[in-house]
Amino acid sequence: DVEDTSYANLNGRAIPSCLLAGSKCITYLLEKSRVVSVSQGERTYHIFYQLLEAPNEIKKDIWEEGLVGASTADFNYLSTSS
């Protein structure tokens, strides 16, 4: 369920909130080389990019002290992708 855009704007949010209605998890095998390093010129599409772009107030809600003020440069795995 997605919040109405005008209601989000009234509450100071540019992006409407939404509720996850459900999900399905499928087990799969990752190559170790993909998990521990990034090849030259390769970009990772990791959830950390989204977490690190969040405002510090939200970062504090997610992980109390660990993400406040952090950027991709603070994480070796993320800072080595292009």
Side-chain angles (χ1 to χ4, degrees):
D1 191 22
V2 179
E3 177 182 39
D4 182 73
T5 305
S6 58
Y7 185 76
N9 289 332
L10 287 173
N11 288 298
R13 291 187 307 276
I15 300 172
S17 297
C18 63
L19 297 174
L20 180 63
S23 67
K24 180 178 180 181
C25 182
I26 299 171
T27 303
Y28 57 95
L29 179 64
L30 292 174
E31 296 174 51
K32 182 178 178 184
S33 64
R34 299 273 185 211
V35 176
V36 297
S37 64
V38 181
S39 299
Q40 182 68 23
E42 182 180 29
R43 177 166 168 87
T44 63
Y45 293 92
H46 203 278
I47 186 66
F48 277 146
Y49 285 108
Q50 294 178 358
L51 292 173
L52 294 171
E53 289 300 317
N56 281 326
E57 306 82 52
I58 293 175
K59 288 181 189 178
K60 188 172 181 180
D61 289 341
I62 296 168
W63 187 7
E64 194 152 326
E65 296 296 326
L67 293 178
V68 175
S71 72
T72 56
D74 298 315
F75 296 89
N76 185 51
Y77 182 81
L78 299 177
S79 65
T80 57
S81 67
S82 50

